[in-house]
Amino acid sequence: MNFEQYVQPVVDFVRTHEAWAPWIVFALAFGESLAFVSLLLPSTVILLGIGGLVGASGLAFLPMWLGAVIGSVLGYAVSYWLGAYYKDEIKTMWPFSKYPDMLPRGQVFFDKYGAFGVFAGHFFGPIRAVIPVVAGMYALPQLQFQVANILSSVLWSTGVLAPGFFGVQYLFS
């Protein structure tokens, strides 16, 4: 898959429609953190590019960052609720039905790390799509899940936006 064909149009759109940038960042972070969708959407790469674009254009970092944090938190929360609602039935749904080893690998990871796995899973692409679903299936208490979700979303959002934003500012200052 050629990521350039997906990344460049989004970055160009953000450049042209700067007022939409926080909403686009929100949508990308939501999609990247949402079970199933995160497997199809190269959001991390796009967000890195947008971070650099925002730094070069002089747009404020905080609205972009908040968009990413909120999108990330909500994507993970919806994934958790899908797991909590569907439980074992989710194994029959795409992509788990097509890739039956995804859930067992996520379950092993979750069994080993528990709520910390929710936090850590946010930083590993392949497991990001599975961990919140497994946490919901296992009925991880809401408070534990949301604390791990919010903390990891804050760090993940910073990690995908800040390098480009501050790196470009440093290079051109």
Side-chain angles (χ1 to χ4, degrees), residues 29-112:
F30 180 79
E32 183 70 21
S33 301
L34 185 61
F36 319 130
V37 176
S38 64
L39 298 170
L40 306 172
L41 189 64
S43 294
T44 300
V45 175
I46 297 170
L47 288 167
L48 285 165
I50 289 173
L53 176 66
V54 169
S57 70
L59 289 174
F61 179 76
L62 187 60
M64 304 308 141
W65 180 78
L66 284 173
V69 169
I70 294 168
S72 176
V73 166
L74 289 177
Y76 242 43
V78 168
S79 299
Y80 172 89
W81 294 322
L82 286 171
Y85 181 79
Y86 288 106
K87 301 272 185 220
D88 285 333
E89 187 182 333
I90 206 158
K91 294 174 184 177
T92 64
M93 298 175 187
W94 182 89
F96 302 124
S97 62
K98 186 172 181 179
Y99 303 101
D101 62 323
M102 285 178 66
L103 273 176
R105 287 192 336 216
Q107 289 170 317
V108 167
F109 187 85
F110 187 80
D111 288 341
K112 186 172 183 177

